[in-house]
């Protein structure tokens, strides 16, 4: 048998210019191989580095407050700027990705936040730093829906949830690495150099990212059939080389197109991506997704943006509080691994609800653990605070894996990134409100009240999933979407 590279293009379903159903059938029959894992690694590496940048403020906020003499209100506004930028990035990049393609938009987002991170290192005032954090948010927020869409479109349905959950797990790893960078850089070089380190990392990942292919599913849905065939054939050859075996035959189309789906895929005037989110067949999903992200993120960022500062107020040094938060964040790594396993075994809906409910309980207990007198850096009080914090991060980071695995599966290809982007944008509204609400709660009612409100947000999100959510586990994207 001649080498794969010398053979004709890998077999298709028998048509030279494939439609979306043909591309779906050919993608779904591919075994998971080193070829898809390489593409996944490219996306995940970018995801890792941009999450390091997002998390930096959690660990640097205490030092920045001291450097600029910020009031609690000003600190909250600074924290909120990242999320305001993410809101804009979610919407702009999500819709642009559905219109212009995944690859180009994915690359642009990294340029934006990488340069903004380098600029943040030179910020001379609070307004300048706020502007840089806003631009960092635009880039990072824009990357999220594109990464979700891309992974969901190249990975077969049988392992799709697992890989998107693993992708989100790099968020937890990035969070820990952000704490580690801050812990080692902050006491010796200051907070500005932490931004420099992350900005330089972005340049390395950008060079790697240029080899990422375009999504064949998106190309076919956009009517660019010749390019879809070329991209699909290249992927088939890549998988065949990686496995060293002939590809399995193409099964019949995994989903028979409905009248609505067929009309939606026709060229020319049609229902736009944004309008699709509110079409009758998607309306309840959209309400669920928007509410899920809003309440989950108001809880997560309301708490995490202020943990290091609250610890400092309870007796920890700036560096000590950063180290403590970094250690409890390690709980997020087994959390996302557990979520990845359960998403495929138990399903998207029950796993998402379970992690939200458990995150609510853990946040409530963490607030109780931190209540009382000023803490010392040793003793039973700190041990209990560590255990409660570790468990809280386990479920909160596992929750993130559920959000990112579930959301892109709710919408068709032509509106997938738009739907994920708008849902994320509603989450950023919650993320903006969270850091601004927490200092008021702490001032008026004590730290425990902030964690109680965060727990309430998680419970409302869980209720929305249980009442309005649909199950998508193991289903081909085209079958789930129509």
């Amino acid at each position: 048998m001649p080498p794969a590279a010398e053979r004709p293009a890998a077999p298709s379903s028998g048509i030279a210019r494939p439609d979306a159903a043909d591309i779906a059938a050919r993608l779904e029959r591919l075994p998971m191989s080193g070829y898809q894992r390489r593409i996944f690694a490219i996306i995940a590496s970018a995801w890792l580095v941009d999450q390091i940048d997002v998390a930096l403020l959690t660990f640097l906020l205490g030092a920045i407050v001291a450097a600029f003499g910020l009031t609690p209100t000003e600190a909250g506004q600074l924290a909120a700027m990242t999320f305001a930028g993410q809101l804009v990035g979610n919407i702009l990049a999500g819709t642009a990705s559905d219109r212009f393609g995944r690859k180009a938009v994915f690359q642009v987002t990294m340029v934006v936040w990488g340069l903004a991170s380098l600029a943040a290192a030179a910020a001379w005032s609070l307004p300048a730093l706020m502007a840089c954090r806003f631009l960092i948010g635009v880039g990072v927020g824009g990357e999220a829906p594109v990464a979700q869409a891309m992974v969901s479109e190249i990975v077969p349905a049988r392992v799709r949830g697992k890989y998107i959950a693993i992708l989100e797990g790099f968020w937890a790893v990035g969070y820990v690495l952000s704490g580690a960078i801050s812990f080692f850089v902050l006491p010796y070089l200051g907070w500005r150099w932490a931004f420099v380190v992350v900005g330089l990392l972005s340049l390395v990942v950008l060079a790697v990212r240029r080899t990422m292919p375009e999504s064949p599913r998106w190309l076919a849905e956009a009517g660019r059939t010749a390019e879809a065939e070329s991209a699909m054939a290249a992927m088939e050859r890549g998988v065949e080389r990686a496995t060293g075996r002939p590809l399995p035959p193409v099964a019949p189309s995994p989903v028979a197109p409905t009248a609505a789906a067929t009309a939606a895929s026709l060229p020319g005037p049609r229902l736009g991506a944004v309008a699709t989110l509110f079409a009758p067949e998607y309306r309840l999903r959209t309400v669920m997704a928007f509410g899920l992200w809003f309440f989950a993120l108001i809880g997560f960022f309301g708490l995490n943006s202020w943990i290091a500062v609250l610890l400092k107020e309870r007796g920890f040094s700036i560096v000590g509080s950063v180290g403590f938060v970094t250690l409890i964040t390690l709980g997020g790594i087994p959390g996302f691994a557990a979520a990845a396993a359960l998403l495929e075994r138990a399903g998207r809906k029950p796993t998402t609800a379970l992690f939200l409910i458990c995150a609510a309980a853990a946040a409530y207990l963490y607030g109780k653990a931190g209540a009382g007198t000023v803490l010392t850096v040793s003793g039973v009080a700190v041990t209990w605070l560590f255990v409660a914090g570790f468990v809280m991060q386990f479920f909160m980071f596992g929750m993130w894996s559920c959000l990112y695995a579930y959301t892109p599966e709710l919408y068709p290809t032509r509106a997938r990134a738009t739907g994920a982007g708008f849902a994320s944008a509603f989450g950023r509204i919650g993320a903006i409100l969270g850091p601004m609400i927490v200092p008021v709660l702490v001032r008026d009612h004590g730290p425990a009240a902030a964690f109680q409100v965060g727990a309430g947000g998680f419970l409302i999100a869980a209720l929305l999933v249980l009442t309005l959510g649909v199950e998508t586990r193991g289903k081909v994207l085209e079958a789930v979407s129509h």
Side-chain angles (χ1 to χ4, degrees), residues 225-241:
T225 53
E227 294 171 80
E229 172 59 33
S230 176
M232 187 67 247
M235 183 172 290
E236 289 168 328
R237 289 193 298 269
V239 172
E240 197 168 21
R241 283 195 297 267

Side-chain angles (χ1 to χ4, degrees), residues 172 300 304 327-340 342 354-356 358-359 362-363 386-402:
F300 181 89
N304 273 285
L327 287 175
I328 66 173
T329 303
L330 287 170
I333 296 176
F336 86 77
L342 284 175
L354 174 65
F355 272 80
L356 285 165
C358 290
F386 174 79
V387 171
F390 190 92
V391 172
M392 178 179 70
Q393 298 289 29
F394 177 97
F395 288 110
M396 289 204 301
F397 278 94
M399 170 202 77
W400 275 103
S401 291
C402 297

